Amino acid sequence: MARLIRDLATPAAPLNYREVGATARDILPGGYHHLHHTVRIGRGRDAFESAGAAVTTWRMHRASGARVRSRAVRAEPGALVEVSIGLGPVRFAAPCEVIWTAYERDRTGFAYGTRTGHPERGEESFLVDLHPDGSVWFTVTAFSRPAAWYTRLAGPLVPALQHAYARRLGRTLQRVVEG
């Protein structure tokens, strides 16, 4: 089962949403855009182990072109992470905090929640599952809504970009597993 921890003692940039840990449950909260993307990324225990390590050590995000800053070597509840995307000096920084992790025999991954300063409010999880038939699946689940004027202004473009990024992560993880 996923561990859920929240660092309430960090006043500089607290989480900016209430439904902490909701990606670990079956039903996502209302009032948010929901994202659910699942893709088969490989087969067998080795593929599962490789994918799980890539997800939880930020390698998947980095290999997709995102910049990741964190003192944590791997995802652990309470770890602060800043993910940024963009080109050159034009980047959008997204401060997050790891909310829960799953380090299980057939399931590995984590979720991070948005902190004050993130352009969105919500949570996103990244899970790798090894199914009984040996297939390995990667799932991104998220709920979010705008937290900045520019994400409100972008309207329906933001969910489309989020879906595109989830697909990119899946393709990236497939490449990591293959080679």
Side-chain angles (χ1 to χ4, degrees), residues 106-153:
D106 296 331
R107 180 176 232 201
T108 300
F110 73 97
Y112 52 44
T114 59
R115 295 176 68 82
T116 301
H118 195 293
E120 293 282 302
R121 295 180 195 279
E123 196 171 286
E124 190 167 22
S125 69
F126 310 92
L127 283 170
V128 178
D129 289 293
L130 176 61
H131 288 203
D133 69 356
S135 62
V136 180
W137 295 82
F138 172 63
T139 301
V140 178
T141 303
F143 62 93
S144 64
R145 64 180 172 221
W149 67 268
Y150 53 89
T151 51
R152 282 190 291 280
L153 184 65

mmCIF file of all heavy atoms in Angstrom, residues 106-153:
data_model
loop_
_atom_site.group_PDB
_atom_site.id
_atom_site.type_symbol
_atom_site.label_atom_id
_atom_site.label_comp_id
_atom_site.label_asym_id
_atom_site.label_seq_id
_atom_site.Cartn_x
_atom_site.Cartn_y
_atom_site.Cartn_z
ATOM 1 N N ASP A 106 5.341 -6.145 -7.197
ATOM 2 C CA ASP A 106 4.875 -6.006 -8.575
ATOM 3 C C ASP A 106 4.361 -4.606 -8.900
ATOM 4 O O ASP A 106 3.631 -4.429 -9.882
ATOM 5 C CB ASP A 106 3.773 -7.034 -8.854
ATOM 6 C CG ASP A 106 4.289 -8.464 -8.760
ATOM 7 O OD1 ASP A 106 5.485 -8.679 -9.035
ATOM 8 O OD2 ASP A 106 3.505 -9.367 -8.412
ATOM 9 N N ARG A 107 4.718 -3.629 -8.081
ATOM 10 C CA ARG A 107 4.270 -2.258 -8.302
ATOM 11 C C ARG A 107 5.298 -1.292 -7.725
ATOM 12 O O ARG A 107 5.694 -1.412 -6.571
ATOM 13 C CB ARG A 107 2.924 -2.041 -7.623
ATOM 14 C CG ARG A 107 2.390 -0.661 -7.790
ATOM 15 C CD ARG A 107 1.029 -0.587 -7.162
ATOM 16 N NE ARG A 107 0.170 -0.032 -8.174
ATOM 17 C CZ ARG A 107 -0.971 0.542 -7.930
ATOM 18 N NH1 ARG A 107 -1.433 0.586 -6.706
ATOM 19 N NH2 ARG A 107 -1.677 1.053 -8.884
ATOM 20 N N THR A 108 5.713 -0.350 -8.553
ATOM 21 C CA THR A 108 6.696 0.646 -8.128
ATOM 22 C C THR A 108 6.286 2.001 -8.678
ATOM 23 O O THR A 108 5.860 2.100 -9.824
ATOM 24 C CB THR A 108 8.098 0.286 -8.648
ATOM 25 O OG1 THR A 108 8.474 -0.982 -8.140
ATOM 26 C CG2 THR A 108 9.127 1.312 -8.216
ATOM 27 N N GLY A 109 6.434 3.025 -7.860
ATOM 28 C CA GLY A 109 6.169 4.371 -8.347
ATOM 29 C C GLY A 109 5.956 5.347 -7.217
ATOM 30 O O GLY A 109 6.260 5.062 -6.060
ATOM 31 N N PHE A 110 5.430 6.505 -7.579
ATOM 32 C CA PHE A 110 5.220 7.557 -6.605
ATOM 33 C C PHE A 110 4.220 8.575 -7.140
ATOM 34 O O PHE A 110 3.861 8.549 -8.319
ATOM 35 C CB PHE A 110 6.541 8.256 -6.267
ATOM 36 C CG PHE A 110 7.065 9.149 -7.362
ATOM 37 C CD1 PHE A 110 6.818 10.523 -7.327
ATOM 38 C CD2 PHE A 110 7.794 8.644 -8.420
ATOM 39 C CE1 PHE A 110 7.293 11.357 -8.336
ATOM 40 C CE2 PHE A 110 8.279 9.465 -9.423
ATOM 41 C CZ PHE A 110 8.022 10.833 -9.385
ATOM 42 N N ALA A 111 3.824 9.462 -6.259
ATOM 43 C CA ALA A 111 3.006 10.613 -6.663
ATOM 44 C C ALA A 111 3.611 11.847 -6.049
ATOM 45 O O ALA A 111 4.141 11.804 -4.940
ATOM 46 C CB ALA A 111 1.570 10.458 -6.183
ATOM 47 N N TYR A 112 3.551 12.938 -6.795
ATOM 48 C CA TYR A 112 3.914 14.209 -6.185
ATOM 49 C C TYR A 112 2.761 15.176 -6.305
ATOM 50 O O TYR A 112 1.924 15.073 -7.187
ATOM 51 C CB TYR A 112 5.221 14.797 -6.681
ATOM 52 C CG TYR A 112 5.478 14.971 -8.161
ATOM 53 C CD1 TYR A 112 4.534 15.484 -9.043
ATOM 54 C CD2 TYR A 112 6.730 14.675 -8.667
ATOM 55 C CE1 TYR A 112 4.830 15.675 -10.375
ATOM 56 C CE2 TYR A 112 7.032 14.868 -9.996
ATOM 57 C CZ TYR A 112 6.078 15.370 -10.850
ATOM 58 O OH TYR A 112 6.373 15.569 -12.172
ATOM 59 N N GLY A 113 2.730 16.061 -5.324
ATOM 60 C CA GLY A 113 1.707 17.091 -5.278
ATOM 61 C C GLY A 113 2.316 18.439 -5.569
ATOM 62 O O GLY A 113 3.520 18.654 -5.361
ATOM 63 N N THR A 114 1.480 19.338 -6.039
ATOM 64 C CA THR A 114 1.954 20.676 -6.381
ATOM 65 C C THR A 114 2.102 21.534 -5.138
ATOM 66 O O THR A 114 1.322 21.452 -4.199
ATOM 67 C CB THR A 114 0.994 21.354 -7.365
ATOM 68 O OG1 THR A 114 -0.306 21.439 -6.765
ATOM 69 C CG2 THR A 114 0.897 20.569 -8.670
ATOM 70 N N ARG A 115 3.133 22.365 -5.164
ATOM 71 C CA ARG A 115 3.403 23.286 -4.073
ATOM 72 C C ARG A 115 3.143 24.712 -4.567
ATOM 73 O O ARG A 115 3.070 24.956 -5.759
ATOM 74 C CB ARG A 115 4.848 23.136 -3.598
ATOM 75 C CG ARG A 115 5.105 21.739 -2.985
ATOM 76 C CD ARG A 115 6.542 21.531 -2.606
ATOM 77 N NE ARG A 115 6.955 22.376 -1.492
ATOM 78 C CZ ARG A 115 6.743 22.103 -0.210
ATOM 79 N NH1 ARG A 115 6.092 21.007 0.126
ATOM 80 N NH2 ARG A 115 7.183 22.911 0.724
ATOM 81 N N THR A 116 3.035 25.626 -3.625
ATOM 82 C CA THR A 116 2.867 27.025 -3.968
ATOM 83 C C THR A 116 3.958 27.424 -4.960
ATOM 84 O O THR A 116 5.123 27.094 -4.767
ATOM 85 C CB THR A 116 2.936 27.900 -2.702
ATOM 86 O OG1 THR A 116 1.897 27.480 -1.823
ATOM 87 C CG2 THR A 116 2.772 29.369 -3.038
ATOM 88 N N GLY A 117 3.565 28.090 -6.036
ATOM 89 C CA GLY A 117 4.491 28.463 -7.088
ATOM 90 C C GLY A 117 4.356 27.591 -8.327
ATOM 91 O O GLY A 117 4.854 27.935 -9.395
ATOM 92 N N HIS A 118 3.693 26.457 -8.203
ATOM 93 C CA HIS A 118 3.436 25.582 -9.354
ATOM 94 C C HIS A 118 2.324 26.214 -10.187
ATOM 95 O O HIS A 118 1.376 26.760 -9.629
ATOM 96 C CB HIS A 118 3.005 24.196 -8.846
ATOM 97 C CG HIS A 118 3.039 23.125 -9.868
ATOM 98 N ND1 HIS A 118 2.198 23.098 -10.957
ATOM 99 C CD2 HIS A 118 3.806 22.012 -9.965
ATOM 100 C CE1 HIS A 118 2.436 22.017 -11.674
ATOM 101 N NE2 HIS A 118 3.420 21.337 -11.090
ATOM 102 N N PRO A 119 2.392 26.135 -11.519
ATOM 103 C CA PRO A 119 1.343 26.735 -12.336
ATOM 104 C C PRO A 119 0.001 26.017 -12.257
ATOM 105 O O PRO A 119 -1.016 26.535 -12.716
ATOM 106 C CB PRO A 119 1.904 26.681 -13.759
ATOM 107 C CG PRO A 119 3.056 25.749 -13.719
ATOM 108 C CD PRO A 119 3.520 25.651 -12.304
ATOM 109 N N GLU A 120 -0.033 24.836 -11.672
ATOM 110 C CA GLU A 120 -1.264 24.075 -11.491
ATOM 111 C C GLU A 120 -1.437 23.715 -10.017
ATOM 112 O O GLU A 120 -0.504 23.817 -9.231
ATOM 113 C CB GLU A 120 -1.212 22.778 -12.312
ATOM 114 C CG GLU A 120 -1.217 22.973 -13.810
ATOM 115 C CD GLU A 120 -2.594 23.281 -14.348
ATOM 116 O OE1 GLU A 120 -3.513 22.472 -14.155
ATOM 117 O OE2 GLU A 120 -2.756 24.338 -14.979
ATOM 118 N N ARG A 121 -2.625 23.247 -9.667
ATOM 119 C CA ARG A 121 -2.923 22.689 -8.351
ATOM 120 C C ARG A 121 -3.336 21.242 -8.570
ATOM 121 O O ARG A 121 -4.185 20.967 -9.415
ATOM 122 C CB ARG A 121 -4.114 23.400 -7.692
ATOM 123 C CG ARG A 121 -3.924 24.817 -7.365
ATOM 124 C CD ARG A 121 -5.205 25.386 -6.722
ATOM 125 N NE ARG A 121 -5.178 26.825 -6.708
ATOM 126 C CZ ARG A 121 -4.533 27.557 -5.821
ATOM 127 N NH1 ARG A 121 -3.853 26.957 -4.866
ATOM 128 N NH2 ARG A 121 -4.553 28.858 -5.876
ATOM 129 N N GLY A 122 -2.766 20.342 -7.804
ATOM 130 C CA GLY A 122 -3.183 18.954 -7.931
ATOM 131 C C GLY A 122 -2.066 17.973 -7.666
ATOM 132 O O GLY A 122 -1.074 18.293 -7.007
ATOM 133 N N GLU A 123 -2.240 16.792 -8.207
ATOM 134 C CA GLU A 123 -1.345 15.679 -7.895
ATOM 135 C C GLU A 123 -1.195 14.806 -9.126
ATOM 136 O O GLU A 123 -2.114 14.702 -9.934
ATOM 137 C CB GLU A 123 -1.972 14.890 -6.743
ATOM 138 C CG GLU A 123 -1.054 13.947 -6.029
ATOM 139 C CD GLU A 123 -1.739 13.403 -4.778
ATOM 140 O OE1 GLU A 123 -1.866 14.148 -3.788
ATOM 141 O OE2 GLU A 123 -2.158 12.233 -4.823
ATOM 142 N N GLU A 124 -0.041 14.158 -9.233
ATOM 143 C CA GLU A 124 0.231 13.278 -10.368
ATOM 144 C C GLU A 124 1.001 12.062 -9.873
ATOM 145 O O GLU A 124 1.957 12.200 -9.120
ATOM 146 C CB GLU A 124 1.040 14.042 -11.415
ATOM 147 C CG GLU A 124 1.195 13.349 -12.729
ATOM 148 C CD GLU A 124 1.733 14.294 -13.795
ATOM 149 O OE1 GLU A 124 2.366 15.319 -13.463
ATOM 150 O OE2 GLU A 124 1.519 13.984 -14.978
ATOM 151 N N SER A 125 0.562 10.891 -10.311
ATOM 152 C CA SER A 125 1.268 9.662 -9.938
ATOM 153 C C SER A 125 1.842 8.987 -11.171
ATOM 154 O O SER A 125 1.320 9.123 -12.283
ATOM 155 C CB SER A 125 0.336 8.695 -9.195
ATOM 156 O OG SER A 125 -0.659 8.180 -10.058
ATOM 157 N N PHE A 126 2.930 8.254 -10.940
ATOM 158 C CA PHE A 126 3.655 7.541 -11.983
ATOM 159 C C PHE A 126 3.904 6.130 -11.453
ATOM 160 O O PHE A 126 4.691 5.959 -10.531
ATOM 161 C CB PHE A 126 4.994 8.233 -12.271
ATOM 162 C CG PHE A 126 4.859 9.712 -12.499
ATOM 163 C CD1 PHE A 126 4.997 10.600 -11.438
ATOM 164 C CD2 PHE A 126 4.583 10.217 -13.764
ATOM 165 C CE1 PHE A 126 4.868 11.963 -11.631
ATOM 166 C CE2 PHE A 126 4.451 11.587 -13.961
ATOM 167 C CZ PHE A 126 4.591 12.461 -12.900
ATOM 168 N N LEU A 127 3.217 5.145 -12.019
ATOM 169 C CA LEU A 127 3.299 3.777 -11.509
ATOM 170 C C LEU A 127 3.686 2.788 -12.591
ATOM 171 O O LEU A 127 3.225 2.889 -13.735
ATOM 172 C CB LEU A 127 1.949 3.346 -10.933
ATOM 173 C CG LEU A 127 1.599 3.904 -9.563
ATOM 174 C CD1 LEU A 127 0.154 3.598 -9.223
ATOM 175 C CD2 LEU A 127 2.532 3.351 -8.507
ATOM 176 N N VAL A 128 4.520 1.841 -12.205
ATOM 177 C CA VAL A 128 4.888 0.723 -13.063
ATOM 178 C C VAL A 128 4.328 -0.533 -12.403
ATOM 179 O O VAL A 128 4.567 -0.769 -11.216
ATOM 180 C CB VAL A 128 6.420 0.613 -13.213
ATOM 181 C CG1 VAL A 128 6.790 -0.585 -14.076
ATOM 182 C CG2 VAL A 128 6.994 1.896 -13.788
ATOM 183 N N ASP A 129 3.589 -1.323 -13.177
ATOM 184 C CA ASP A 129 2.982 -2.553 -12.660
ATOM 185 C C ASP A 129 3.417 -3.753 -13.489
ATOM 186 O O ASP A 129 3.430 -3.692 -14.731
ATOM 187 C CB ASP A 129 1.447 -2.463 -12.735
ATOM 188 C CG ASP A 129 0.875 -1.497 -11.731
ATOM 189 O OD1 ASP A 129 0.974 -1.784 -10.529
ATOM 190 O OD2 ASP A 129 0.336 -0.446 -12.149
ATOM 191 N N LEU A 130 3.757 -4.825 -12.812
ATOM 192 C CA LEU A 130 4.048 -6.106 -13.451
ATOM 193 C C LEU A 130 2.801 -6.971 -13.285
ATOM 194 O O LEU A 130 2.420 -7.309 -12.168
ATOM 195 C CB LEU A 130 5.261 -6.778 -12.790
ATOM 196 C CG LEU A 130 5.634 -8.169 -13.298
ATOM 197 C CD1 LEU A 130 5.989 -8.152 -14.780
ATOM 198 C CD2 LEU A 130 6.791 -8.729 -12.468
ATOM 199 N N HIS A 131 2.144 -7.292 -14.399
ATOM 200 C CA HIS A 131 0.917 -8.083 -14.361
ATOM 201 C C HIS A 131 1.244 -9.574 -14.305
ATOM 202 O O HIS A 131 2.356 -9.985 -14.669
ATOM 203 C CB HIS A 131 0.070 -7.769 -15.590
ATOM 204 C CG HIS A 131 -0.553 -6.408 -15.538
ATOM 205 N ND1 HIS A 131 -1.676 -6.073 -16.244
ATOM 206 C CD2 HIS A 131 -0.230 -5.280 -14.853
ATOM 207 C CE1 HIS A 131 -2.013 -4.820 -16.016
ATOM 208 N NE2 HIS A 131 -1.132 -4.315 -15.170
ATOM 209 N N PRO A 132 0.292 -10.403 -13.877
ATOM 210 C CA PRO A 132 0.539 -11.845 -13.770
ATOM 211 C C PRO A 132 0.981 -12.503 -15.086
ATOM 212 O O PRO A 132 1.705 -13.491 -15.064
ATOM 213 C CB PRO A 132 -0.809 -12.406 -13.308
ATOM 214 C CG PRO A 132 -1.447 -11.266 -12.575
ATOM 215 C CD PRO A 132 -1.017 -10.032 -13.313
ATOM 216 N N ASP A 133 0.568 -11.941 -16.235
ATOM 217 C CA ASP A 133 0.970 -12.509 -17.530
ATOM 218 C C ASP A 133 2.383 -12.090 -17.944
ATOM 219 O O ASP A 133 2.849 -12.448 -19.022
ATOM 220 C CB ASP A 133 -0.035 -12.142 -18.621
ATOM 221 C CG ASP A 133 -0.023 -10.660 -18.977
ATOM 222 O OD1 ASP A 133 0.710 -9.868 -18.336
ATOM 223 O OD2 ASP A 133 -0.771 -10.276 -19.913
ATOM 224 N N GLY A 134 3.074 -11.300 -17.086
ATOM 225 C CA GLY A 134 4.433 -10.868 -17.370
ATOM 226 C C GLY A 134 4.534 -9.523 -18.071
ATOM 227 O O GLY A 134 5.635 -8.999 -18.249
ATOM 228 N N SER A 135 3.405 -8.969 -18.481
ATOM 229 C CA SER A 135 3.454 -7.672 -19.148
ATOM 230 C C SER A 135 3.694 -6.565 -18.120
ATOM 231 O O SER A 135 3.263 -6.661 -16.975
ATOM 232 C CB SER A 135 2.169 -7.405 -19.937
ATOM 233 O OG SER A 135 1.048 -7.375 -19.074
ATOM 234 N N VAL A 136 4.411 -5.521 -18.545
ATOM 235 C CA VAL A 136 4.755 -4.395 -17.680
ATOM 236 C C VAL A 136 4.047 -3.159 -18.220
ATOM 237 O O VAL A 136 4.156 -2.845 -19.414
ATOM 238 C CB VAL A 136 6.276 -4.175 -17.632
ATOM 239 C CG1 VAL A 136 6.624 -3.000 -16.724
ATOM 240 C CG2 VAL A 136 6.989 -5.438 -17.158
ATOM 241 N N TRP A 137 3.336 -2.491 -17.331
ATOM 242 C CA TRP A 137 2.525 -1.336 -17.710
ATOM 243 C C TRP A 137 2.935 -0.108 -16.908
ATOM 244 O O TRP A 137 3.270 -0.200 -15.733
ATOM 245 C CB TRP A 137 1.044 -1.635 -17.462
ATOM 246 C CG TRP A 137 0.549 -2.739 -18.354
ATOM 247 C CD1 TRP A 137 0.692 -4.078 -18.156
ATOM 248 C CD2 TRP A 137 -0.130 -2.581 -19.589
ATOM 249 N NE1 TRP A 137 0.131 -4.772 -19.202
ATOM 250 C CE2 TRP A 137 -0.389 -3.872 -20.094
ATOM 251 C CE3 TRP A 137 -0.551 -1.471 -20.319
ATOM 252 C CZ2 TRP A 137 -1.045 -4.077 -21.301
ATOM 253 C CZ3 TRP A 137 -1.220 -1.684 -21.522
ATOM 254 C CH2 TRP A 137 -1.453 -2.973 -22.000
ATOM 255 N N PHE A 138 2.862 1.028 -17.578
ATOM 256 C CA PHE A 138 3.148 2.329 -16.961
ATOM 257 C C PHE A 138 1.871 3.150 -16.991
ATOM 258 O O PHE A 138 1.203 3.246 -18.018
ATOM 259 C CB PHE A 138 4.251 3.040 -17.736
ATOM 260 C CG PHE A 138 4.495 4.459 -17.298
ATOM 261 C CD1 PHE A 138 4.931 4.737 -16.006
ATOM 262 C CD2 PHE A 138 4.305 5.516 -18.172
ATOM 263 C CE1 PHE A 138 5.156 6.051 -15.602
ATOM 264 C CE2 PHE A 138 4.542 6.820 -17.780
ATOM 265 C CZ PHE A 138 4.966 7.092 -16.491
ATOM 266 N N THR A 139 1.539 3.736 -15.834
ATOM 267 C CA THR A 139 0.312 4.533 -15.728
ATOM 268 C C THR A 139 0.619 5.886 -15.110
ATOM 269 O O THR A 139 1.290 5.969 -14.079
ATOM 270 C CB THR A 139 -0.744 3.811 -14.860
ATOM 271 O OG1 THR A 139 -1.032 2.544 -15.447
ATOM 272 C CG2 THR A 139 -2.018 4.632 -14.746
ATOM 273 N N VAL A 140 0.109 6.919 -15.747
ATOM 274 C CA VAL A 140 0.133 8.271 -15.200
ATOM 275 C C VAL A 140 -1.307 8.622 -14.849
ATOM 276 O O VAL A 140 -2.197 8.510 -15.691
ATOM 277 C CB VAL A 140 0.671 9.306 -16.211
ATOM 278 C CG1 VAL A 140 0.636 10.712 -15.610
ATOM 279 C CG2 VAL A 140 2.071 8.946 -16.661
ATOM 280 N N THR A 141 -1.527 9.020 -13.608
ATOM 281 C CA THR A 141 -2.838 9.455 -13.146
ATOM 282 C C THR A 141 -2.667 10.822 -12.513
ATOM 283 O O THR A 141 -1.730 11.033 -11.741
ATOM 284 C CB THR A 141 -3.413 8.476 -12.096
ATOM 285 O OG1 THR A 141 -3.457 7.162 -12.675
ATOM 286 C CG2 THR A 141 -4.795 8.895 -11.639
ATOM 287 N N ALA A 142 -3.561 11.744 -12.853
ATOM 288 C CA ALA A 142 -3.419 13.095 -12.306
ATOM 289 C C ALA A 142 -4.769 13.782 -12.198
ATOM 290 O O ALA A 142 -5.717 13.447 -12.913
ATOM 291 C CB ALA A 142 -2.498 13.927 -13.182
ATOM 292 N N PHE A 143 -4.812 14.730 -11.289
ATOM 293 C CA PHE A 143 -5.916 15.692 -11.253
ATOM 294 C C PHE A 143 -5.288 17.060 -11.067
ATOM 295 O O PHE A 143 -4.318 17.222 -10.322
ATOM 296 C CB PHE A 143 -6.930 15.364 -10.150
ATOM 297 C CG PHE A 143 -6.391 15.396 -8.750
ATOM 298 C CD1 PHE A 143 -6.466 16.553 -7.978
ATOM 299 C CD2 PHE A 143 -5.824 14.260 -8.179
ATOM 300 C CE1 PHE A 143 -5.980 16.589 -6.687
ATOM 301 C CE2 PHE A 143 -5.342 14.284 -6.872
ATOM 302 C CZ PHE A 143 -5.419 15.450 -6.130
ATOM 303 N N SER A 144 -5.800 18.034 -11.803
ATOM 304 C CA SER A 144 -5.204 19.371 -11.725
ATOM 305 C C SER A 144 -6.190 20.433 -12.194
ATOM 306 O O SER A 144 -7.153 20.138 -12.906
ATOM 307 C CB SER A 144 -3.936 19.445 -12.589
ATOM 308 O OG SER A 144 -4.259 19.249 -13.955
ATOM 309 N N ARG A 145 -5.901 21.640 -11.765
ATOM 310 C CA ARG A 145 -6.614 22.821 -12.243
ATOM 311 C C ARG A 145 -5.640 23.994 -12.176
ATOM 312 O O ARG A 145 -4.646 23.940 -11.436
ATOM 313 C CB ARG A 145 -7.892 23.076 -11.454
ATOM 314 C CG ARG A 145 -7.694 23.391 -9.998
ATOM 315 C CD ARG A 145 -9.050 23.633 -9.323
ATOM 316 N NE ARG A 145 -8.890 23.747 -7.903
ATOM 317 C CZ ARG A 145 -9.697 23.231 -7.013
ATOM 318 N NH1 ARG A 145 -10.761 22.553 -7.396
ATOM 319 N NH2 ARG A 145 -9.488 23.381 -5.734
ATOM 320 N N PRO A 146 -5.904 25.056 -12.926
ATOM 321 C CA PRO A 146 -4.967 26.179 -12.985
ATOM 322 C C PRO A 146 -4.731 26.828 -11.620
ATOM 323 O O PRO A 146 -5.651 26.960 -10.816
ATOM 324 C CB PRO A 146 -5.647 27.166 -13.931
ATOM 325 C CG PRO A 146 -6.587 26.341 -14.735
ATOM 326 C CD PRO A 146 -7.044 25.241 -13.822
ATOM 327 N N ALA A 147 -3.475 27.236 -11.407
ATOM 328 C CA ALA A 147 -3.114 27.979 -10.199
ATOM 329 C C ALA A 147 -2.462 29.313 -10.548
ATOM 330 O O ALA A 147 -2.237 30.123 -9.668
ATOM 331 C CB ALA A 147 -2.164 27.155 -9.329
ATOM 332 N N ALA A 148 -2.166 29.526 -11.824
ATOM 333 C CA ALA A 148 -1.508 30.761 -12.261
ATOM 334 C C ALA A 148 -2.352 31.401 -13.362
ATOM 335 O O ALA A 148 -3.089 30.715 -14.074
ATOM 336 C CB ALA A 148 -0.103 30.459 -12.785
ATOM 337 N N TRP A 149 -2.199 32.691 -13.531
ATOM 338 C CA TRP A 149 -2.982 33.406 -14.543
ATOM 339 C C TRP A 149 -2.749 32.843 -15.932
ATOM 340 O O TRP A 149 -3.674 32.718 -16.729
ATOM 341 C CB TRP A 149 -2.683 34.911 -14.496
ATOM 342 C CG TRP A 149 -1.265 35.256 -14.909
ATOM 343 C CD1 TRP A 149 -0.178 35.384 -14.107
ATOM 344 C CD2 TRP A 149 -0.805 35.482 -16.243
ATOM 345 N NE1 TRP A 149 0.941 35.669 -14.850
ATOM 346 C CE2 TRP A 149 0.585 35.744 -16.176
ATOM 347 C CE3 TRP A 149 -1.427 35.489 -17.498
ATOM 348 C CZ2 TRP A 149 1.346 36.001 -17.302
ATOM 349 C CZ3 TRP A 149 -0.648 35.753 -18.619
ATOM 350 C CH2 TRP A 149 0.720 36.011 -18.511
ATOM 351 N N TYR A 150 -1.515 32.453 -16.235
ATOM 352 C CA TYR A 150 -1.215 31.987 -17.588
ATOM 353 C C TYR A 150 -1.775 30.601 -17.861
ATOM 354 O O TYR A 150 -2.114 30.282 -19.000
ATOM 355 C CB TYR A 150 0.280 32.081 -17.916
ATOM 356 C CG TYR A 150 1.207 31.413 -16.931
ATOM 357 C CD1 TYR A 150 1.553 30.083 -17.067
ATOM 358 C CD2 TYR A 150 1.745 32.129 -15.862
ATOM 359 C CE1 TYR A 150 2.408 29.470 -16.179
ATOM 360 C CE2 TYR A 150 2.607 31.520 -14.965
ATOM 361 C CZ TYR A 150 2.935 30.191 -15.124
ATOM 362 O OH TYR A 150 3.777 29.591 -14.236
ATOM 363 N N THR A 151 -1.919 29.752 -16.838
ATOM 364 C CA THR A 151 -2.548 28.453 -17.078
ATOM 365 C C THR A 151 -4.062 28.603 -17.186
ATOM 366 O O THR A 151 -4.708 27.864 -17.924
ATOM 367 C CB THR A 151 -2.167 27.420 -16.006
ATOM 368 O OG1 THR A 151 -2.395 27.957 -14.704
ATOM 369 C CG2 THR A 151 -0.715 27.006 -16.142
ATOM 370 N N ARG A 152 -4.630 29.576 -16.468
ATOM 371 C CA ARG A 152 -6.062 29.870 -16.640
ATOM 372 C C ARG A 152 -6.315 30.409 -18.040
ATOM 373 O O ARG A 152 -7.269 30.032 -18.707
ATOM 374 C CB ARG A 152 -6.546 30.861 -15.578
ATOM 375 C CG ARG A 152 -6.774 30.221 -14.218
ATOM 376 C CD ARG A 152 -7.485 31.155 -13.244
ATOM 377 N NE ARG A 152 -6.675 32.284 -12.832
ATOM 378 C CZ ARG A 152 -5.734 32.245 -11.894
ATOM 379 N NH1 ARG A 152 -5.496 31.115 -11.260
ATOM 380 N NH2 ARG A 152 -5.043 33.316 -11.574
ATOM 381 N N LEU A 153 -5.446 31.304 -18.498
ATOM 382 C CA LEU A 153 -5.572 31.905 -19.819
ATOM 383 C C LEU A 153 -5.441 30.846 -20.924
ATOM 384 O O LEU A 153 -6.127 30.919 -21.943
ATOM 385 C CB LEU A 153 -4.504 32.994 -20.001
ATOM 386 C CG LEU A 153 -4.539 33.787 -21.295
ATOM 387 C CD1 LEU A 153 -5.829 34.613 -21.367
ATOM 388 C CD2 LEU A 153 -3.330 34.717 -21.364
#
